[in-house]
Short mmCIF file of all heavy atoms in Angstrom, two decimals:
data_model
loop_
_atom_site.label_atom_id
_atom_site.label_comp_id
_atom_site.label_asym_id
_atom_site.label_seq_id
_atom_site.Cartn_x
_atom_site.Cartn_y
_atom_site.Cartn_z
N MET J 164 0.79 -1.19 0.00
CA MET J 164 -0.02 -0.02 0.05
C MET J 164 0.86 1.21 0.01
O MET J 164 1.81 1.30 0.68
CB MET J 164 -0.91 -0.03 1.21
CG MET J 164 -2.29 0.61 0.99
SD MET J 164 -3.21 0.65 2.45
CE MET J 164 -2.47 2.09 3.34
N ALA J 165 0.47 2.34 -0.69
CA ALA J 165 1.22 3.54 -0.74
C ALA J 165 1.00 4.30 0.50
O ALA J 165 0.06 4.07 1.26
CB ALA J 165 0.74 4.31 -2.00
N GLY J 166 1.93 5.25 0.72
CA GLY J 166 1.77 6.20 1.77
C GLY J 166 0.75 7.26 1.32
O GLY J 166 0.23 7.15 0.16
N LEU J 167 0.50 8.22 2.18
CA LEU J 167 -0.43 9.28 1.80
C LEU J 167 0.27 10.23 0.79
O LEU J 167 -0.37 10.76 -0.18
CB LEU J 167 -0.77 10.06 3.08
CG LEU J 167 -2.12 10.77 3.10
CD1 LEU J 167 -3.29 9.75 2.71
CD2 LEU J 167 -2.36 11.24 4.53
N PHE J 168 1.57 10.47 0.95
CA PHE J 168 2.30 11.43 0.11
C PHE J 168 3.28 10.78 -0.80
O PHE J 168 3.70 11.34 -1.81
CB PHE J 168 3.01 12.43 1.05
CG PHE J 168 2.14 13.10 2.04
CD1 PHE J 168 2.08 12.86 3.36
CD2 PHE J 168 1.17 14.08 1.61
CE1 PHE J 168 1.28 13.48 4.26
CE2 PHE J 168 0.37 14.71 2.42
CZ PHE J 168 0.35 14.37 3.77
N ILE J 169 3.73 9.65 -0.38
CA ILE J 169 4.87 9.03 -1.17
C ILE J 169 4.55 7.50 -1.51
O ILE J 169 3.95 6.80 -0.65
CB ILE J 169 6.17 8.96 -0.21
CG1 ILE J 169 6.60 10.40 0.06
CG2 ILE J 169 7.30 8.19 -0.89
CD1 ILE J 169 7.19 11.20 -1.12
N ASP J 170 4.95 7.13 -2.72
CA ASP J 170 4.88 5.68 -2.95
C ASP J 170 6.26 5.38 -3.59
O ASP J 170 6.93 6.25 -4.21
CB ASP J 170 3.78 5.33 -3.94
CG ASP J 170 3.49 3.87 -3.97
OD1 ASP J 170 4.02 3.14 -3.15
OD2 ASP J 170 2.82 3.43 -4.89
N VAL J 171 6.66 4.17 -3.46
CA VAL J 171 7.93 3.70 -4.00
C VAL J 171 7.70 2.48 -4.92
O VAL J 171 7.04 1.62 -4.54
CB VAL J 171 8.95 3.35 -2.84
CG1 VAL J 171 10.12 2.58 -3.42
CG2 VAL J 171 9.40 4.61 -2.15
N GLU J 172 8.30 2.55 -6.12
CA GLU J 172 8.22 1.39 -7.00
C GLU J 172 9.53 0.87 -7.16
O GLU J 172 10.58 1.52 -7.45
CB GLU J 172 7.73 1.84 -8.39
CG GLU J 172 6.21 1.84 -8.55
CD GLU J 172 5.75 2.29 -9.93
OE1 GLU J 172 6.57 2.32 -10.81
OE2 GLU J 172 4.56 2.64 -10.08
N VAL J 173 9.67 -0.51 -6.90
CA VAL J 173 10.98 -1.18 -7.05
C VAL J 173 10.79 -2.18 -8.22
O VAL J 173 9.84 -2.98 -8.27
CB VAL J 173 11.31 -1.92 -5.75
CG1 VAL J 173 12.63 -2.69 -5.88
CG2 VAL J 173 11.35 -0.98 -4.57
N ALA J 174 11.69 -2.09 -9.19
CA ALA J 174 11.59 -2.98 -10.34
C ALA J 174 11.83 -4.42 -9.91
O ALA J 174 12.54 -4.72 -8.93
CB ALA J 174 12.64 -2.56 -11.39
N ASP J 175 11.25 -5.31 -10.62
CA ASP J 175 11.34 -6.78 -10.25
C ASP J 175 12.80 -7.25 -10.08
O ASP J 175 13.10 -8.02 -9.20
CB ASP J 175 10.64 -7.63 -11.28
CG ASP J 175 9.17 -7.51 -11.25
OD1 ASP J 175 8.61 -6.99 -10.22
OD2 ASP J 175 8.45 -7.91 -12.18
N GLU J 176 13.64 -6.79 -10.99
CA GLU J 176 15.04 -7.36 -10.93
C GLU J 176 15.79 -6.72 -9.75
O GLU J 176 16.75 -7.35 -9.32
CB GLU J 176 15.73 -7.07 -12.26
CG GLU J 176 15.96 -5.52 -12.55
CD GLU J 176 14.82 -5.07 -13.45
OE1 GLU J 176 13.73 -5.56 -13.42
OE2 GLU J 176 15.04 -4.05 -14.22
N VAL J 177 15.30 -5.61 -9.27
CA VAL J 177 15.93 -5.06 -8.00
C VAL J 177 15.35 -5.73 -6.77
O VAL J 177 15.98 -6.15 -5.81
CB VAL J 177 15.73 -3.56 -7.94
CG1 VAL J 177 16.13 -3.01 -6.55
CG2 VAL J 177 16.51 -2.88 -9.08
N ARG J 178 14.03 -5.97 -6.82
CA ARG J 178 13.31 -6.59 -5.74
C ARG J 178 13.84 -7.93 -5.27
O ARG J 178 13.87 -8.24 -4.12
CB ARG J 178 11.80 -6.75 -6.14
CG ARG J 178 10.92 -6.93 -5.01
CD ARG J 178 9.43 -6.90 -5.53
NE ARG J 178 8.92 -5.60 -5.74
CZ ARG J 178 8.40 -4.81 -4.81
NH1 ARG J 178 8.29 -5.30 -3.54
NH2 ARG J 178 7.94 -3.66 -5.04
N GLY J 179 14.37 -8.71 -6.24
CA GLY J 179 14.90 -10.03 -5.93
C GLY J 179 16.36 -10.12 -5.82
O GLY J 179 16.97 -11.18 -5.76
N ASP J 180 17.08 -8.96 -5.62
CA ASP J 180 18.50 -8.92 -5.67
C ASP J 180 19.02 -8.65 -4.21
O ASP J 180 18.79 -7.47 -3.63
CB ASP J 180 18.98 -7.85 -6.62
CG ASP J 180 20.53 -7.82 -6.67
OD1 ASP J 180 21.24 -7.96 -5.70
OD2 ASP J 180 21.00 -7.66 -7.85
N ALA J 181 19.59 -9.68 -3.56
CA ALA J 181 19.92 -9.60 -2.15
C ALA J 181 20.94 -8.46 -1.94
O ALA J 181 20.88 -7.77 -0.85
CB ALA J 181 20.49 -10.89 -1.69
N GLU J 182 21.92 -8.29 -2.82
CA GLU J 182 23.00 -7.28 -2.65
C GLU J 182 22.41 -5.89 -2.75
O GLU J 182 22.67 -5.02 -1.96
CB GLU J 182 24.01 -7.57 -3.68
CG GLU J 182 25.32 -6.83 -3.42
CD GLU J 182 26.34 -7.14 -4.45
OE1 GLU J 182 26.59 -8.38 -4.80
OE2 GLU J 182 26.93 -6.21 -4.98
N LEU J 183 21.49 -5.65 -3.68
CA LEU J 183 20.89 -4.40 -3.88
C LEU J 183 19.97 -4.10 -2.67
O LEU J 183 19.79 -2.92 -2.24
CB LEU J 183 20.01 -4.31 -5.16
CG LEU J 183 20.85 -3.93 -6.40
CD1 LEU J 183 19.94 -4.05 -7.65
CD2 LEU J 183 21.37 -2.51 -6.28
N ALA J 184 19.32 -5.12 -2.18
CA ALA J 184 18.43 -4.95 -1.03
C ALA J 184 19.14 -4.38 0.15
O ALA J 184 18.79 -3.45 0.81
CB ALA J 184 17.79 -6.35 -0.71
N LYS J 185 20.39 -4.95 0.36
CA LYS J 185 21.20 -4.54 1.47
C LYS J 185 21.60 -3.06 1.24
O LYS J 185 21.69 -2.25 2.19
CB LYS J 185 22.46 -5.45 1.56
CG LYS J 185 23.31 -5.21 2.78
CD LYS J 185 22.69 -5.83 4.10
CE LYS J 185 23.50 -5.50 5.33
NZ LYS J 185 23.24 -4.21 5.85
N ARG J 186 21.94 -2.72 -0.01
CA ARG J 186 22.41 -1.42 -0.32
C ARG J 186 21.33 -0.39 -0.03
O ARG J 186 21.55 0.69 0.45
CB ARG J 186 22.85 -1.34 -1.78
CG ARG J 186 24.04 -0.43 -2.00
CD ARG J 186 24.42 -0.28 -3.45
NE ARG J 186 24.90 -1.47 -4.07
CZ ARG J 186 25.05 -1.57 -5.36
NH1 ARG J 186 24.72 -0.62 -6.22
NH2 ARG J 186 25.52 -2.70 -5.90
N LEU J 187 20.07 -0.76 -0.48
CA LEU J 187 18.95 0.10 -0.27
C LEU J 187 18.67 0.26 1.23
O LEU J 187 18.35 1.37 1.66
CB LEU J 187 17.69 -0.38 -1.03
CG LEU J 187 17.78 -0.23 -2.55
CD1 LEU J 187 16.66 -1.05 -3.19
CD2 LEU J 187 17.70 1.19 -2.97
N GLU J 188 18.71 -0.84 1.89
CA GLU J 188 18.47 -0.78 3.40
C GLU J 188 19.48 0.16 4.05
O GLU J 188 19.10 0.98 4.93
CB GLU J 188 18.55 -2.22 4.00
CG GLU J 188 18.19 -2.24 5.45
CD GLU J 188 18.31 -3.66 6.02
OE1 GLU J 188 19.51 -4.05 6.30
OE2 GLU J 188 17.33 -4.36 6.14
N ASP J 189 20.67 0.09 3.64
CA ASP J 189 21.73 0.97 4.23
C ASP J 189 21.59 2.36 3.81
O ASP J 189 21.84 3.32 4.57
CB ASP J 189 23.09 0.44 3.79
CG ASP J 189 23.55 -0.85 4.49
OD1 ASP J 189 22.87 -1.15 5.44
OD2 ASP J 189 24.47 -1.46 3.97
N ALA J 190 21.09 2.64 2.57
CA ALA J 190 21.10 4.02 2.02
C ALA J 190 19.93 4.81 2.61
O ALA J 190 20.18 6.00 2.92
CB ALA J 190 20.82 3.87 0.48
N CYS J 191 18.79 4.23 2.84
CA CYS J 191 17.62 5.10 3.22
C CYS J 191 17.73 5.45 4.69
O CYS J 191 17.69 4.61 5.57
CB CYS J 191 16.32 4.28 2.93
SG CYS J 191 14.91 5.27 3.40
N PRO J 192 17.78 6.78 4.99
CA PRO J 192 17.88 7.21 6.47
C PRO J 192 16.61 7.05 7.17
O PRO J 192 16.69 7.10 8.42
CB PRO J 192 18.19 8.78 6.19
CG PRO J 192 17.68 9.12 4.85
CD PRO J 192 17.75 7.88 4.01
N VAL J 193 15.50 6.75 6.54
CA VAL J 193 14.26 6.56 7.31
C VAL J 193 13.64 5.13 7.17
O VAL J 193 12.52 4.91 7.33
CB VAL J 193 13.22 7.59 6.93
CG1 VAL J 193 13.70 9.02 7.35
CG2 VAL J 193 12.84 7.59 5.48
N ASP J 194 14.55 4.18 6.79
CA ASP J 194 14.22 2.80 6.81
C ASP J 194 13.00 2.41 6.00
O ASP J 194 12.08 1.69 6.47
CB ASP J 194 14.01 2.31 8.22
CG ASP J 194 15.31 2.43 9.06
OD1 ASP J 194 16.38 2.38 8.48
OD2 ASP J 194 15.24 2.58 10.25
N ILE J 195 12.91 2.83 4.75
CA ILE J 195 11.80 2.52 3.88
C ILE J 195 12.07 1.19 3.16
O ILE J 195 11.18 0.51 2.73
CB ILE J 195 11.54 3.65 2.95
CG1 ILE J 195 10.84 4.79 3.67
CG2 ILE J 195 10.73 3.21 1.74
CD1 ILE J 195 10.59 6.08 2.88
N TYR J 196 13.33 0.72 3.14
CA TYR J 196 13.68 -0.51 2.56
C TYR J 196 14.19 -1.47 3.63
O TYR J 196 15.06 -1.12 4.42
CB TYR J 196 14.79 -0.34 1.49
CG TYR J 196 14.39 0.65 0.47
CD1 TYR J 196 14.79 1.98 0.61
CD2 TYR J 196 13.65 0.32 -0.62
CE1 TYR J 196 14.36 2.95 -0.35
CE2 TYR J 196 13.21 1.22 -1.61
CZ TYR J 196 13.58 2.54 -1.48
OH TYR J 196 13.20 3.43 -2.37
N ALA J 197 13.73 -2.71 3.55
CA ALA J 197 14.19 -3.82 4.46
C ALA J 197 14.72 -4.94 3.56
O ALA J 197 14.03 -5.42 2.65
CB ALA J 197 13.10 -4.25 5.35
N ALA J 198 15.89 -5.38 3.81
CA ALA J 198 16.46 -6.56 3.18
C ALA J 198 15.89 -7.83 3.82
O ALA J 198 16.13 -8.03 5.00
CB ALA J 198 17.97 -6.52 3.21
N LYS J 199 15.17 -8.63 3.03
CA LYS J 199 14.48 -9.79 3.61
C LYS J 199 14.41 -10.90 2.60
O LYS J 199 14.14 -10.72 1.51
CB LYS J 199 13.09 -9.34 4.00
CG LYS J 199 12.97 -8.94 5.43
CD LYS J 199 11.48 -8.90 5.88
CE LYS J 199 11.34 -8.29 7.30
NZ LYS J 199 10.09 -7.66 7.52
N ASP J 200 14.66 -12.10 3.10
CA ASP J 200 14.54 -13.26 2.23
C ASP J 200 15.26 -13.18 0.90
O ASP J 200 14.62 -13.50 -0.08
CB ASP J 200 13.02 -13.60 2.09
CG ASP J 200 12.34 -13.80 3.40
OD1 ASP J 200 12.94 -14.29 4.33
OD2 ASP J 200 11.19 -13.47 3.48
N GLY J 201 16.40 -12.60 0.93
CA GLY J 201 17.20 -12.48 -0.31
C GLY J 201 16.65 -11.40 -1.30
O GLY J 201 16.94 -11.41 -2.46
N GLY J 202 15.83 -10.45 -0.72
CA GLY J 202 15.31 -9.46 -1.65
C GLY J 202 14.92 -8.25 -0.82
O GLY J 202 15.24 -8.13 0.40
N VAL J 203 14.31 -7.26 -1.43
CA VAL J 203 13.96 -6.04 -0.73
C VAL J 203 12.46 -5.90 -0.51
O VAL J 203 11.67 -6.28 -1.44
CB VAL J 203 14.60 -4.81 -1.51
CG1 VAL J 203 13.90 -4.55 -2.77
CG2 VAL J 203 14.41 -3.57 -0.60
N GLU J 204 12.16 -5.49 0.68
CA GLU J 204 10.77 -5.24 1.02
C GLU J 204 10.57 -3.65 1.26
O GLU J 204 11.38 -3.07 1.91
CB GLU J 204 10.44 -6.01 2.25
CG GLU J 204 9.01 -6.29 2.45
CD GLU J 204 8.81 -7.34 3.56
OE1 GLU J 204 8.70 -6.94 4.71
OE2 GLU J 204 8.86 -8.56 3.31
N VAL J 205 9.44 -3.10 0.77
CA VAL J 205 9.20 -1.70 1.08
C VAL J 205 8.39 -1.67 2.29
O VAL J 205 7.39 -2.34 2.45
CB VAL J 205 8.40 -1.09 -0.14
CG1 VAL J 205 7.98 0.33 0.21
CG2 VAL J 205 9.24 -1.08 -1.37
N VAL J 206 8.89 -0.86 3.27
CA VAL J 206 8.17 -0.77 4.57
C VAL J 206 7.11 0.34 4.47
O VAL J 206 7.39 1.52 4.62
CB VAL J 206 9.18 -0.47 5.70
CG1 VAL J 206 8.52 -0.44 7.05
CG2 VAL J 206 10.33 -1.52 5.73
N ASP J 207 5.88 -0.09 4.21
CA ASP J 207 4.85 0.83 3.93
C ASP J 207 4.62 1.85 5.04
O ASP J 207 4.34 3.00 4.73
CB ASP J 207 3.49 0.12 3.74
CG ASP J 207 3.52 -0.77 2.45
OD1 ASP J 207 4.26 -0.35 1.53
OD2 ASP J 207 2.87 -1.83 2.41
N ALA J 208 4.74 1.51 6.22
CA ALA J 208 4.48 2.32 7.41
C ALA J 208 5.45 3.52 7.48
O ALA J 208 5.16 4.57 8.04
CB ALA J 208 4.52 1.57 8.66
N ASN J 209 6.62 3.37 6.76
CA ASN J 209 7.58 4.49 6.85
C ASN J 209 7.66 5.35 5.55
O ASN J 209 8.29 6.36 5.53
CB ASN J 209 8.99 3.88 6.99
CG ASN J 209 9.18 3.17 8.29
OD1 ASN J 209 8.42 3.32 9.16
ND2 ASN J 209 10.27 2.43 8.38
N LEU J 210 6.76 5.06 4.56
CA LEU J 210 6.84 5.72 3.29
C LEU J 210 6.71 7.24 3.47
O LEU J 210 7.45 7.99 2.81
CB LEU J 210 5.71 5.21 2.40
CG LEU J 210 6.00 3.95 1.60
CD1 LEU J 210 4.81 3.38 0.95
CD2 LEU J 210 7.10 4.16 0.59
N ASP J 211 5.81 7.70 4.30
CA ASP J 211 5.62 9.13 4.31
C ASP J 211 6.68 9.87 5.15
O ASP J 211 6.70 11.09 5.23
CB ASP J 211 4.24 9.47 4.91
CG ASP J 211 3.12 9.25 3.96
OD1 ASP J 211 3.42 9.29 2.67
OD2 ASP J 211 1.99 9.01 4.39
N GLU J 212 7.68 9.09 5.65
CA GLU J 212 8.88 9.71 6.35
C GLU J 212 9.90 10.08 5.37
O GLU J 212 10.89 10.75 5.64
CB GLU J 212 9.49 8.69 7.32
CG GLU J 212 8.54 8.17 8.40
CD GLU J 212 7.96 9.28 9.25
OE1 GLU J 212 8.68 10.21 9.61
OE2 GLU J 212 6.76 9.09 9.58
N CYS J 213 9.72 9.72 4.06
CA CYS J 213 10.73 10.00 3.03
C CYS J 213 11.09 11.45 3.03
O CYS J 213 10.25 12.36 3.02
CB CYS J 213 10.12 9.59 1.67
SG CYS J 213 11.25 9.98 0.27
N ILE J 214 12.43 11.69 2.93
CA ILE J 214 12.91 13.11 2.91
C ILE J 214 13.36 13.50 1.54
O ILE J 214 14.11 14.52 1.46
CB ILE J 214 14.04 13.27 4.02
CG1 ILE J 214 15.23 12.34 3.72
CG2 ILE J 214 13.47 13.16 5.39
CD1 ILE J 214 16.46 12.61 4.46
N LEU J 215 13.10 12.69 0.51
CA LEU J 215 13.44 12.92 -0.87
C LEU J 215 14.94 13.10 -1.07
O LEU J 215 15.30 13.97 -1.90
CB LEU J 215 12.62 14.19 -1.33
CG LEU J 215 11.08 14.09 -1.15
CD1 LEU J 215 10.48 15.41 -1.41
CD2 LEU J 215 10.53 12.95 -1.97
N CYS J 216 15.74 12.35 -0.42
CA CYS J 216 17.20 12.50 -0.52
C CYS J 216 17.80 11.89 -1.77
O CYS J 216 18.89 12.21 -2.13
CB CYS J 216 17.89 11.90 0.72
SG CYS J 216 17.66 10.13 0.80
N GLU J 217 17.00 11.01 -2.39
CA GLU J 217 17.38 10.37 -3.67
C GLU J 217 18.54 9.37 -3.50
O GLU J 217 19.03 8.83 -4.47
CB GLU J 217 17.88 11.40 -4.67
CG GLU J 217 16.73 11.85 -5.62
CD GLU J 217 17.17 12.76 -6.81
OE1 GLU J 217 17.60 12.23 -7.75
OE2 GLU J 217 17.03 13.99 -6.65
N LEU J 218 18.91 9.07 -2.28
CA LEU J 218 19.99 8.07 -2.06
C LEU J 218 19.60 6.74 -2.65
O LEU J 218 20.39 5.93 -3.18
CB LEU J 218 20.33 7.94 -0.59
CG LEU J 218 21.12 9.21 -0.06
CD1 LEU J 218 21.24 9.12 1.45
CD2 LEU J 218 22.42 9.35 -0.72
N CYS J 219 18.36 6.37 -2.48
CA CYS J 219 17.86 5.02 -2.97
C CYS J 219 17.91 4.98 -4.44
O CYS J 219 18.28 3.98 -5.07
CB CYS J 219 16.52 4.72 -2.43
SG CYS J 219 15.21 5.96 -2.89
N VAL J 220 17.51 6.10 -5.15
CA VAL J 220 17.47 6.18 -6.58
C VAL J 220 18.90 6.03 -7.07
O VAL J 220 19.11 5.31 -8.11
CB VAL J 220 16.88 7.54 -7.06
CG1 VAL J 220 16.93 7.72 -8.57
CG2 VAL J 220 15.44 7.61 -6.56
N GLN J 221 19.88 6.62 -6.38
CA GLN J 221 21.24 6.53 -6.87
C GLN J 221 21.87 5.14 -6.56
O GLN J 221 22.79 4.67 -7.24
CB GLN J 221 22.08 7.59 -6.16
CG GLN J 221 21.58 9.05 -6.49
CD GLN J 221 21.62 9.35 -8.00
OE1 GLN J 221 22.42 8.84 -8.80
NE2 GLN J 221 20.77 10.24 -8.46
N ALA J 222 21.42 4.51 -5.48
CA ALA J 222 21.93 3.25 -5.09
C ALA J 222 21.52 2.11 -6.04
O ALA J 222 22.22 1.09 -6.17
CB ALA J 222 21.54 2.89 -3.69
N ALA J 223 20.37 2.26 -6.67
CA ALA J 223 19.81 1.23 -7.56
C ALA J 223 20.25 1.51 -8.98
O ALA J 223 20.62 2.66 -9.34
CB ALA J 223 18.30 1.24 -7.46
N PRO J 224 20.23 0.55 -9.82
CA PRO J 224 20.53 0.77 -11.29
C PRO J 224 19.49 1.74 -11.83
O PRO J 224 18.38 1.82 -11.32
CB PRO J 224 20.53 -0.52 -11.95
CG PRO J 224 19.89 -1.47 -10.99
CD PRO J 224 19.96 -0.84 -9.60
N PRO J 225 19.77 2.42 -13.01
CA PRO J 225 18.75 3.30 -13.64
C PRO J 225 17.47 2.52 -13.82
O PRO J 225 17.43 1.42 -14.26
CB PRO J 225 19.46 3.60 -15.00
CG PRO J 225 20.88 3.52 -14.78
CD PRO J 225 21.05 2.39 -13.72
N GLY J 226 16.36 3.22 -13.40
CA GLY J 226 15.07 2.59 -13.55
C GLY J 226 14.66 1.60 -12.47
O GLY J 226 13.57 1.14 -12.36
N GLY J 227 15.65 1.41 -11.60
CA GLY J 227 15.40 0.35 -10.53
C GLY J 227 14.44 0.75 -9.41
O GLY J 227 13.72 0.00 -9.01
N VAL J 228 14.57 2.03 -9.04
CA VAL J 228 13.71 2.55 -7.99
C VAL J 228 13.10 3.89 -8.42
O VAL J 228 13.80 4.74 -8.95
CB VAL J 228 14.51 2.76 -6.64
CG1 VAL J 228 13.71 3.60 -5.64
CG2 VAL J 228 15.01 1.46 -6.10
N VAL J 229 11.83 4.05 -8.19
CA VAL J 229 11.14 5.30 -8.46
C VAL J 229 10.39 5.72 -7.23
O VAL J 229 9.69 4.94 -6.62
CB VAL J 229 10.09 5.14 -9.65
CG1 VAL J 229 9.37 6.48 -9.88
CG2 VAL J 229 10.76 4.67 -10.90
N VAL J 230 10.74 6.94 -6.79
CA VAL J 230 10.03 7.52 -5.68
C VAL J 230 8.93 8.49 -6.15
O VAL J 230 9.32 9.48 -6.72
CB VAL J 230 10.99 8.17 -4.67
CG1 VAL J 230 10.27 8.87 -3.51
CG2 VAL J 230 12.09 7.31 -4.16
N LYS J 231 7.74 8.10 -5.97
CA LYS J 231 6.64 8.94 -6.48
C LYS J 231 6.03 9.92 -5.44
O LYS J 231 5.70 9.49 -4.36
CB LYS J 231 5.51 8.03 -6.94
CG LYS J 231 5.84 7.17 -8.12
CD LYS J 231 4.80 6.05 -8.25
CE LYS J 231 4.35 6.07 -9.68
NZ LYS J 231 3.29 4.98 -9.81
N LYS J 232 6.04 11.23 -5.86
CA LYS J 232 5.43 12.16 -4.95
C LYS J 232 3.98 12.26 -5.29
O LYS J 232 3.61 12.92 -6.29
CB LYS J 232 6.14 13.54 -5.11
CG LYS J 232 7.60 13.50 -4.76
CD LYS J 232 8.15 14.86 -4.81
CE LYS J 232 9.37 14.96 -5.79
NZ LYS J 232 9.88 16.28 -5.89
N LEU J 233 3.19 11.64 -4.47
CA LEU J 233 1.70 11.53 -4.85
C LEU J 233 1.04 12.83 -4.75
O LEU J 233 0.02 13.12 -5.35
CB LEU J 233 1.04 10.56 -3.91
CG LEU J 233 1.59 9.12 -3.92
CD1 LEU J 233 0.92 8.24 -2.92
CD2 LEU J 233 1.54 8.47 -5.30
N TYR J 234 1.67 13.78 -3.98
CA TYR J 234 1.01 15.07 -3.79
C TYR J 234 1.18 16.07 -4.92
O TYR J 234 0.49 17.02 -5.08
CB TYR J 234 1.48 15.76 -2.49
CG TYR J 234 2.99 15.83 -2.38
CD1 TYR J 234 3.65 16.94 -2.81
CD2 TYR J 234 3.73 14.78 -1.84
CE1 TYR J 234 5.06 16.98 -2.74
CE2 TYR J 234 5.04 14.80 -1.79
CZ TYR J 234 5.76 15.94 -2.19
OH TYR J 234 7.07 15.99 -2.08
N ASP J 235 2.12 15.83 -5.79
CA ASP J 235 2.26 16.71 -7.01
C ASP J 235 2.46 15.99 -8.26
O ASP J 235 2.69 16.60 -9.34
CB ASP J 235 3.38 17.73 -6.71
CG ASP J 235 4.79 17.16 -6.78
OD1 ASP J 235 4.95 15.93 -7.03
OD2 ASP J 235 5.74 17.95 -6.62
N GLY J 236 2.40 14.65 -8.27
CA GLY J 236 2.54 13.88 -9.46
C GLY J 236 3.86 13.71 -10.16
O GLY J 236 4.00 13.13 -11.17
N THR J 237 4.93 14.21 -9.43
CA THR J 237 6.26 14.07 -10.02
C THR J 237 6.94 12.91 -9.26
O THR J 237 6.38 12.28 -8.34
CB THR J 237 7.10 15.32 -9.80
OG1 THR J 237 7.30 15.65 -8.42
CG2 THR J 237 6.43 16.54 -10.49
N ALA J 238 8.17 12.59 -9.76
CA ALA J 238 8.87 11.47 -9.16
C ALA J 238 10.36 11.70 -9.20
O ALA J 238 10.87 12.43 -10.02
CB ALA J 238 8.46 10.21 -10.02
N LEU J 239 11.10 10.97 -8.29
CA LEU J 239 12.53 10.98 -8.26
C LEU J 239 12.86 9.62 -8.94
O LEU J 239 12.48 8.59 -8.55
CB LEU J 239 12.99 10.96 -6.88
CG LEU J 239 12.70 12.08 -5.98
CD1 LEU J 239 13.27 11.89 -4.58
CD2 LEU J 239 13.08 13.40 -6.47
N GLU J 240 13.64 9.75 -10.10
CA GLU J 240 14.11 8.58 -10.81
C GLU J 240 15.29 8.91 -11.60
O GLU J 240 15.63 10.06 -11.78
CB GLU J 240 12.91 8.03 -11.69
CG GLU J 240 12.46 8.99 -12.65
CD GLU J 240 11.14 8.45 -13.33
OE1 GLU J 240 11.07 7.29 -13.65
OE2 GLU J 240 10.18 9.22 -13.53
N ARG J 241 15.87 7.81 -12.16
CA ARG J 241 16.98 8.04 -13.12
C ARG J 241 16.96 6.92 -14.10
O ARG J 241 16.31 6.00 -14.00
CB ARG J 241 18.35 8.18 -12.37
CG ARG J 241 18.86 6.85 -11.80
CD ARG J 241 20.12 7.05 -11.08
NE ARG J 241 20.70 5.88 -10.66
CZ ARG J 241 21.80 5.29 -11.04
NH1 ARG J 241 22.56 5.89 -11.90
NH2 ARG J 241 22.22 4.16 -10.53
S1 SF4 L 158 14.49 9.31 -1.25
FE1 SF4 L 158 15.68 8.99 0.57
S2 SF4 L 158 14.29 8.92 2.30
FE2 SF4 L 158 13.14 8.72 0.36
S3 SF4 L 158 13.01 6.43 0.10
FE3 SF4 L 158 14.82 7.11 -1.00
S4 SF4 L 158 16.53 6.90 0.41
FE4 SF4 L 158 14.57 6.87 1.59
#
């Protein structure tokens, strides 16, 4: 489920990558990513804590992670 203000989309090839999962978990200062069962889980309860730092977008390969700003329809991506 999305947050009220933020949603995060993780591409399938990132979702199942244990190494990327750990990188995302380490990168996000507000714990929106959890490395679990060899993949990454988005922690829905923390989504609206996102500070739009873009660290997750940079930690993932291009297109791997999209942070959607539901309040203005734009997104952080690369
Ligand atoms: S932009 Fe920053 S705070 Fe938001 S999900 Fe990515 S790493 Fe976490």
Side-chain angles (χ1 to χ4, degrees):
M164 214 184 77
L167 208 51
F168 304 108
I169 298 291
D170 194 13
V171 166
E172 270 180 18
V173 181
D175 287 344
E176 62 267 28
V177 172
R178 200 172 278 275
D180 186 316
E182 196 178 309
L183 275 174
K185 187 78 183 78
R186 216 187 294 168
L187 287 169
E188 185 179 80
D189 290 345
C191 182
V193 295
D194 297 333
I195 285 173
Y196 304 94
K199 266 193 186 156
D200 303 327
V203 66
E204 203 170 87
V205 174
V206 182
D207 294 331
N209 293 348
L210 278 170
D211 284 336
E212 304 299 323
C213 175
I214 58 167
L215 306 174
C216 66
E217 266 186 84
L218 289 173
C219 58
V220 176
Q221 299 303 330
V228 169
V229 178
V230 178
K231 294 167 130 182
K232 299 188 234 175
L233 301 177
Y234 52 91
D235 70 2
T237 64
L239 304 178
E240 58 189 317
R241 71 181 183 116

